[in-house]
Amino acid sequence: MIRWLLLVPFALLIAIGMSSVFFLIASMVDPLMATLTGETLFVGLWNLVDAVFSSQDPGPIVAEAMLGVGRIMFTLLVLPPLVIAVISEALKIRSLVWYAVATGVFTASVPWILRGAARVANPAELHVSAILGLTGAVAGLVYWTIAGRDAGGRGTPPPPTASSRLEK
């Protein structure tokens, strides 16, 4: 019970933080991500400034913009590790590979799931999906390091050894 109340939320918090840092660094270092992020932030910021200055009451506009950014961050950075952690804890999965691959694949597939349209992807979209996949893999690895090795609580105790039988 304490595991679900303390360790799992703590591990998720650290994993989400580390994957956010990775995503931020990848958005600055990777040329395609830097261009995409820079253009998106530039256009979004100026659209927000234009809307704020053309409105009588800018409060709701700013609140809606922050809510939109929060939804995007939750969907890309919080939801995938949370879902994989809950599934893994319920099924008592303890594999490092599972955490890294499942979280990475789920994170990379979020934009495709939300889009809902089946079409051939261009190389830039695949590149962004690869960065998102690595971001998810970082979250999965960090979560596994903190809490995933003991998923579902302690397992069955190891079988007695010959030396422990002789001690009795």
Side-chain angles (χ1 to χ4, degrees):
M1 184 66 171
I2 291 183
R3 174 180 179 77
W4 277 95
L5 293 175
L6 296 176
L7 185 61
V8 170
F10 175 74
L12 279 169
L13 185 66
I14 299 300
I16 291 165
M18 292 303 294
S19 67
S20 299
V21 168
F22 175 84
F23 187 69
L24 179 68
I25 291 170
S27 294
M28 290 187 290
V29 172
D30 183 65
L32 179 67
M33 289 297 290
T35 302
L36 175 67
T37 307
E39 289 176 2
T40 303
L41 289 175
F42 183 76
V43 170
L45 176 67
W46 285 113
N47 282 337
L48 179 63
V49 168
D50 184 44
V52 164
F53 283 118
S54 66
S55 173
Q56 294 280 337
D57 183 19
I61 295 170
V62 173
E64 189 64 34
M66 293 301 115
L67 186 62
V69 169
R71 285 180 185 150
I72 291 169
M73 291 297 117
F74 178 82
T75 305
L76 290 176
L77 299 173
V78 176
L79 186 64
L82 178 66
V83 168
I84 298 302
V86 168
I87 291 170
S88 302
E89 290 291 330
L91 299 177
K92 298 181 181 180
I93 300 172
R94 294 186 173 108
S95 171
L96 168 66
V97 174
W98 160 257
Y99 282 97
V101 171
T103 311
V105 167
F106 187 33
T107 305
S109 66
V110 165
W112 301 96
I113 294 169
L114 293 177
R115 181 179 312 142
R119 64 177 179 78
V120 178
N122 64 34
E125 291 173 329
L126 294 175
H127 187 86
V128 170
S129 287
I131 297 294
L132 287 172
L134 290 173
T135 302
V138 166
L141 290 171
V142 171
Y143 180 83
W144 177 86
T145 302
I146 297 171
R149 293 181 286 178
D150 299 322
R154 295 284 177 197
T156 59
T161 61
S163 63
S164 68
R165 282 187 234 138
L166 292 176
E167 292 173 2
K168 291 181 181 183

